[in-house]
């Protein structure tokens, strides 16, 4: 096992060769803007000739907007009501927003429309969630400030990514939940020798583990008393927590050493016990393959390579 910069140690890595039966057609490239705290990701979208600054949130099932950003009632067809499209959001109307522009894309998309001011929960003009992002394979090149969207064509059930070098391929998992989480990317991670389902959440500035999960691997109240009491921020509000250092997190064949995780109370209905937020994700180059239900990490992270000849954007 060899250690790499940034606290990574790699046990076994493979170079990935795209499956011949699958073609990933470039759909668009979005510029990622990192917020002042260094851990929240935003990009721009267009609606009604207005530019919206949206938080890129893989932890949210839907695109979430404020009603004031819709020009008239004909632009939003209501399909029903829901509770909480993203963490901490209040009751919402669920329907279809027409004519959203993302880069060179223009589409009608599923969305929740919020009555509350999304600026107050750290989302600026809204959330760009998985009702939009889930239709593509996603190349999150945070270090280079871009998110590339690819449309899978053909049989893409085998993991395929336009990345080079050493890659760690981790399958997504489905876990039972009382809330819809079909599109939210979740993988298994190992902490303290025990496996937990983890949410890949670009809408959270922090990585955290539930207090119940931490206790199951031996973290006691006396240990927490020595830890710094903290308040982490996720889209939707703040989470009172303790900042605790663990020996390592194993993600497939990737080992992240000496991570500091917030220990906080998670909602009882969540289908995950760990959240991998942008304090972790912003130091990696990762690919969410919605077509093959895998997440691919590039180690060490490097800028996205040019696309194959004839597939320019």
């Amino acid at each position: 096992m060899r250690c790499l910069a940034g606290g990574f140690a790699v046990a076994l890595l493979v170079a990935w060769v795209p499956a011949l039966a699958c073609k990933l057609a470039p759909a668009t490239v979005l510029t990622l803007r990192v917020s002042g705290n260094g851990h929240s990701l935003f990009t721009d979208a267009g609606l009604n000739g207005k530019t919206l600054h949206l938080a890129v949130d893989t932890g949210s099932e839907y695109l979430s907007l404020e009603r004031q950003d819709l020009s008239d009632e004909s632009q939003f067809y209501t399909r029903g009501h829901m509770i909480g499209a993203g963490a901490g959001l209040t009751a919402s109307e669920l329907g279809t927003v027409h004519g959203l522009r993302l880069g060179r894309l223009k589409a009608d998309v599923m969305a929740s429309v919020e009555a509350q001011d999304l600026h107050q929960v750290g989302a600026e003009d809204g959330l760009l969630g998985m009702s939009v992002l889930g239709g593509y394979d996603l190349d999150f090149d945070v270090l280079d400030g871009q998110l590339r969207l690819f449309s899978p064509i053909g049989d893409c059930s085998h993991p395929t990514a336009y990345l080079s070098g050493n890659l760690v391929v981790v399958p997504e998992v489905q876990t039972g939940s009382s809330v819809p989480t079909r599109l939210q990317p979740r993988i298994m991670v190992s902490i303290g020798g025990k496996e937990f389902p983890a949410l890949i959440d670009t809408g959270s500035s922090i990585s955290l583990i539930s207090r119940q999960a931490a206790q199951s691997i031996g973290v006691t109240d006396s240990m927490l008393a020595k830890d710094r009491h903290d308040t982490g921020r996720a889209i939707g509000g703040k989470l009172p927590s303790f900042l605790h250092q663990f020996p390592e997190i194993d993600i497939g064949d990737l080992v992240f050493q000496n991570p500091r995780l917030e220990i906080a109370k998670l909602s009882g209905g969540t289908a995950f016990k760990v959240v991998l937020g942008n304090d972790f994700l912003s130091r990696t180059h990762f690919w969410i393959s919605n077509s093959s239900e895998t997440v691919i990490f590039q180690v060490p992270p490097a800028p996205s390579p040019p696309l194959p000849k004839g597939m320019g954007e």
Side-chain angles (χ1 to χ4, degrees), residues 93-113:
E93 291 182 78
L94 179 63
T96 302
V97 166
H98 299 276
L100 181 77
R101 289 189 178 274
L102 281 173
R104 66 183 188 182
L105 298 176
K106 183 177 181 180
D108 299 340
V109 297
M110 286 287 292
S112 64
V113 173

Side-chain angles (χ1 to χ4, degrees), residues 180-205:
T181 55
R182 178 180 58 86
L183 293 174
Q184 296 168 315
R186 287 162 290 154
I187 60 177
M188 297 302 294
V189 302
S190 177
I191 304 174
K194 188 172 182 178
E195 288 197 330
F196 300 100
L199 174 68
I200 304 290
D201 189 359
T202 61
S204 177
S205 67

